[in-house]
Amino acid sequence: MLIIDRLLASGIRFVLDKVAAAADAELNDTDALREQLLEAQMRLELGEIDQQEFDALESDLLARIREIREREGGPTVVSPDEYTITGIDATFEGDEH
């Protein structure tokens, strides 16, 4: 019974370590934040959000990128000139006319 308990505890520890590593990677993923920023910019251009909403999203996302860069010891200055739209995904739903 003791062996089974140790195996179970080791398995649970392994899974929790993997979950913690995945959460840490997600928290420190500047690429995902940049994608969210590009998505917000596209939504602005499509008229889905107004300039005020975009400005709020942009400042929040750029602040999060700065925090990650500070923790990593990289450059902390992030400006809108650092990101560009390299492509979009567009769908059309409706009549073909």
Side-chain angles (χ1 to χ4, degrees):
M1 191 66 163
L2 185 61
I3 294 174
I4 293 174
D5 290 342
R6 285 186 181 175
L7 288 174
L8 184 60
S10 296
I12 291 173
R13 185 180 313 133
F14 174 78
V15 170
L16 292 177
D17 286 344
K18 292 295 181 185
V19 169
D24 186 49
E26 182 69 25
L27 280 175
N28 296 318
D29 187 11
T30 57
D31 292 335
L33 294 173
R34 285 190 185 116
E35 286 181 24
Q36 290 177 21
L37 192 55
L38 291 174
E39 179 184 336
Q41 189 172 13
M42 289 305 302
R43 290 178 62 205
L44 174 68
E45 291 177 7
L46 294 172
E48 294 176 2
I49 60 173
D50 61 18
Q51 185 66 43
Q52 186 177 10
E53 289 174 296
F54 174 76
D55 291 341
L57 284 170
E58 180 184 41
S59 65
D60 178 53
L61 292 169
L62 290 177
R64 289 170 57 191
I65 291 172
R66 276 188 211 102
E67 288 173 10
I68 292 170
R69 286 186 176 180
E70 285 174 359
R71 279 185 295 206
E72 293 176 347
T76 58
V77 177
V78 180
S79 71
D81 297 331
E82 290 187 37
Y83 55 87
T84 58
I85 296 175
T86 57
I88 62 168
D89 290 328
T91 58
F92 176 76
E93 296 177 8
D95 295 335
E96 292 184 23
H97 304 300

